[in-house]
Amino acid sequence: MQYITILGATGSIGVSTLDVLARHPEQYSVYALSAHSRVAELAAQCLQFRPQRAVVGTADAALELTRLLRGQGVDTQVEYGVEALCAIASAPQVTGVMAAIVGAAGLAPTLAAARAGKKVLLANKEALVMSGQLFIDAVHDNGAVLLPIDSEHNAIFQCMPHAHAHGRAPGAAGVAKIVLTASGGPFLTRDVETLDTVTPDQACKHPTWAMGRKISVDSATMMNKGLEVIEAHWLFGAPAEQIEVLIHPQSVIHSMVSYIDGSVLAQLGNPDMRTPIAHALAYPQRINSGVAQLDLAQVATLQFERPDFRRFPCLALAFDALRAGGTAPALLNAANEVAVQAFLDEQIGFRQIDRVIAHVIETVPHGAASSIEAVMEQDRLARAAAHAYIAHRLAA
Ligand code: NDP
Ligand code: MG
């Protein structure tokens, strides 16, 4: 029996993970679940999966969750706060941790899982983008296993049978380049001049994937692909020059690896996150995910085009941050989180998102990512600079 903790159980990835686990009760047991504020949803999950522990964001949320659970006769232990998240990620009974909190808030518990030597199923790309080598070192030094959930990275992992998700550089395995596919999001063909008028709901209406709101906006700006380029760098040891982005609107090919002999390996499937989740949960075995088999005759056409960096300036900013190294990706990530939230709150327009990020990267000096504390300090400075810039723009 494998005992699983899901960090971010109430989110899009969390719900898909529980869907896969529910299909295999003889193999998996839910040890702990977490949410931030959606207490009613978490209570319903606890009623169904009976975890030993559940963690929420605040004392009030914990009181409310306890009341809901006891009313239903569920005796799950309720806790709150970051330390409790780290505790459910590192408890001795736990075999695997699904890291599916959105944003920098997921860094501490995801790192705790790595430090405790767990099987870490990584959806929370922001944690790896921020901490980079420090996170990979924590995985190595503690015998943890890092398996990518992000569909592109899971695809690459499947197309590199001789490489581990961390370890050998792709060049050593005969890899010429890694090709990350991208749908291009909802605004791929929209007139750039009209992008300032798009609403949060339009930005979150992704053509092929159903996801949380933050990553949906990231997909519309293509910052999501930018973060994934940095994620691929750390997971597979590939330099920026070896990573290419290719727009593929159907989202059927989830990514590809080109080898020096001219071979290209690709992983295909319907766009449903339960496939990479099931792959990583059962790795190296295969289990049923509930996803329908791909029908290529039905898909009929697969299209590809190169990304236009002027349409998607966030993608260029991410490549620049990767090349700059050190804490530059942490600055990029923090500025992006603040800008996306401001866009979702209708404080800034869509085309201001990249301007906030560029401003932060230009004005906050980056340094060496020498410790998690140094990274967190850069995260704090970047957020302050982003908030100040947005407030200044609003006042102007
Ligand atoms: P959602 O917004 O749907 O869910 C986020 C989860 O994190 C929720 O459980 C939420 O709790 C919790 N959460 C939010 N803020 C905090 C916080 N400050 N502290 C602790 N927990 C918090 O996101 P997704 O499921 O879409 O994405 C999760 C991660 O997976 C992201 O990093 C994303 O980039 C990545 N990912 C997602 C994909 C997808 O298809 N959705 C694909 C590839 C990667 P509550 O519900 O209470 O707010
Ligand atoms: Mg992805």
Side-chain angles (χ1 to χ4, degrees):
M1 183 62 81
Q2 293 202 39
Y3 293 89
I4 308 293
T5 284
I6 304 179
L7 303 167
T10 45
S12 160
I13 294 286
V15 168
S16 291
T17 304
L18 285 170
D19 181 282
V20 176
L21 294 180
R23 293 166 194 275
H24 306 280
E26 70 297 340
Q27 268 171 278
Y28 303 101
S29 171
V30 177
Y31 173 75
L33 297 174
S34 91
H36 192 55
S37 54
R38 281 187 278 184
V39 173
E41 285 83 347
L42 185 60
Q45 292 178 341
C46 290
L47 184 60
Q48 185 182 351
F49 291 92
R50 304 290 169 135
Q52 292 181 37
R53 301 164 77 174
V55 176
V56 287
T58 62
D60 283 348
L63 276 178
E64 174 65 4
L65 180 61
T66 307
R67 191 185 64 74
L68 289 173
L69 291 181
R70 300 302 175 260
Q72 305 255 29
V74 180
D75 62 358
T76 298
Q77 184 183 322
V78 177
E79 298 153 79
Y80 68 92
V82 178
E83 277 177 29
L85 287 174
C86 294
I88 60 169
S90 59
Q93 303 92 315
V94 173
T95 21
V97 176
M98 169 58 75
I101 288 174
V102 58
L107 176 59
T110 306
L111 195 59
R115 286 177 174 158
K118 303 301 185 193
K119 180 159 100 174
V120 182
L121 313 180
L122 185 75
N124 180 201
K125 67 192 86 184
E126 297 93 341
L128 181 58
V129 166
M130 290 172 74
S131 60
Q133 191 66 48
L134 295 163
F135 188 85
I136 298 297
D137 287 348
V139 169
H140 276 273
D141 295 351
N142 297 287
V145 174
L146 184 55
L147 293 165
I149 294 297
D150 214 344
S151 56
E152 295 76 4
H153 306 74
N154 184 272
I156 294 161
F157 182 67
Q158 293 196 49
C159 296
M160 276 196 195
H162 305 299
H164 291 286
H166 49 91
R168 283 174 72 188
V175 170
K177 66 183 177 192
I178 285 173
V179 182
L180 287 174
T181 52
S183 70
F187 306 140
L188 179 60
T189 55
R190 191 183 168 114
D191 178 2
V192 178
E193 298 310 316
T194 68
L195 280 178
D196 247 347
T197 59
V198 299
T199 64
D201 282 345
Q202 285 174 315
C204 289
K205 208 164 174 306
H206 197 276
T208 48
W209 296 96
M211 310 181 287
R213 283 173 82 77
K214 192 263 178 181
I215 185 176
S216 295
V217 176
D218 284 349
S219 297
T221 62
M222 280 193 82
M223 178 56 91
N224 181 50
K225 209 52 49 182
L227 297 175
E228 290 181 357
V229 167
I230 301 172
E231 184 184 11
H233 165 76
W234 291 116
L235 284 173
F236 305 109
E241 304 68 55
Q242 232 179 9
I243 307 172
E244 190 180 294
V245 172
L246 184 65
I247 293 192
H248 164 45
Q250 290 80 16
S251 303
V252 166
I253 296 182
H254 297 307
S255 276
M256 299 180 254
V257 179
S258 285
Y259 286 86
I260 50 176
D261 62 3
S263 300
V264 180
L265 299 193
Q267 186 259 357
L268 288 72
N270 287 318
D272 186 322
M273 289 306 293
R274 290 176 301 173
T275 295
I277 290 167
H279 172 266
L281 270 172
Y283 180 80
Q285 259 82 53
R286 297 268 177 181
I287 56 171
N288 182 4
S289 65
V291 177
Q293 292 296 310
L294 178 62
D295 181 350
L296 275 177
Q298 173 88 35
V299 176
T301 311
L302 299 179
Q303 294 165 304
F304 306 94
E305 62 182 89
R306 292 197 200 291
D308 174 354
F309 284 83
R310 282 161 310 173
R311 175 180 287 275
F312 298 111
C314 285
L315 188 55
L317 288 169
F319 267 106
D320 289 347
L322 174 57
R323 290 196 184 94
T327 56
L331 295 179
L332 174 93
N333 178 67
N336 181 56
E337 285 190 31
V338 172
V340 169
Q341 192 58 53
F343 169 70
L344 286 172
D345 293 341
E346 299 187 50
Q347 291 176 344
I348 62 171
F350 185 78
R351 289 182 73 191
Q352 287 180 301
I353 295 175
D354 61 271
R355 283 175 214 152
V356 173
I357 301 163
H359 170 81
V360 169
I361 290 182
E362 276 161 28
T363 55
V364 182
H366 67 271
S370 51
S371 65
I372 292 295
E373 293 69 33
V375 168
M376 292 309 299
E377 175 62 8
Q378 289 281 75
D379 176 273
R380 200 186 58 73
L381 290 172
R383 280 170 204 271
H387 282 299
Y389 181 74
I390 290 167
H392 178 76
R393 296 281 295 221
L394 291 178

